[in-house]
Amino acid sequence: MSKALLFQNFHLNLLMFLLLCSIGLSSNDYDVEGYALIELLRPLNDSNYRITDWNIKFVSPCFNWSHVTCRNGNVISLSLASNGFSGTLSPSITKLKFLVSLDLQNNNLSGALPDYLSSMSNLQNLILANNSLNGHIPPN
């Protein structure tokens, strides 16, 4: 490989690194949302290892995490249907302040519908069908 090509590759890699760093440093929400998603995944009991790319070491869940949709650098949608989850829903979901849609249908989640769902003011679509959840949908 020629020196010119190596030099060009180095600069492209450096530019990509700086870009990723600037994305990561532009908002504290990335860290909060990334940690919230990791905390959410643990009690869902992903025993089928369907979600393998959620990693807090990545710059942002908005950058390349599967099942996550973002707008303006914030998580707005989680599409986690039919993943074989068999656990419960974590209160960490409330840290996703901009979440509009949560789809957890066709899993085997259990327990009572958590009251803290009512504190999620932006949540418009909550799809929990075909799980083993009980209780009433929280008001609001």
Side-chain angles (χ1 to χ4, degrees), residues 16-69:
M16 184 64 119
F17 174 76
L18 292 173
L19 176 65
L20 291 174
C21 287
S22 70
I23 291 170
L25 296 175
S26 65
S27 170
N28 288 333
D29 291 337
Y30 293 128
D31 291 337
V32 170
E33 292 184 332
Y35 280 109
L37 289 170
I38 295 297
E39 290 173 13
L40 173 69
L41 188 59
R42 285 187 190 120
L44 289 177
N45 190 21
D46 183 18
S47 58
N48 294 324
Y49 302 102
R50 296 278 182 98
I51 312 294
T52 59
D53 61 340
W54 288 15
N55 186 330
I56 200 60
K57 294 178 183 173
F58 290 157
V59 176
S60 161
C62 295
F63 186 65
N64 64 355
W65 291 20
S66 63
H67 309 280
V68 176
T69 303

Side-chain angles (χ1 to χ4, degrees), residues 86-104:
S86 60
T88 60
L89 193 57
S90 167
S92 66
I93 191 80
T94 60
K95 294 177 185 174
L96 302 174
K97 302 292 184 194
F98 299 94
L99 191 66
V100 173
S101 180
L102 175 61
D103 185 356
L104 283 161

Side-chain angles (χ1 to χ4, degrees), residues 93-130:
I93 191 80
T94 60
K95 294 177 185 174
L96 302 174
K97 302 292 184 194
F98 299 94
L99 191 66
V100 173
S101 180
L102 175 61
D103 185 356
L104 283 161
Q105 68 182 321
N106 300 319
N107 284 291
N108 193 26
L109 301 179
S110 59
L113 287 172
D115 288 336
Y116 50 77
L117 290 175
S118 65
S119 70
M120 300 182 70
S121 59
N122 288 314
L123 189 61
Q124 297 174 15
N125 303 307
L126 177 62
I127 307 168
L128 300 171
N130 299 317

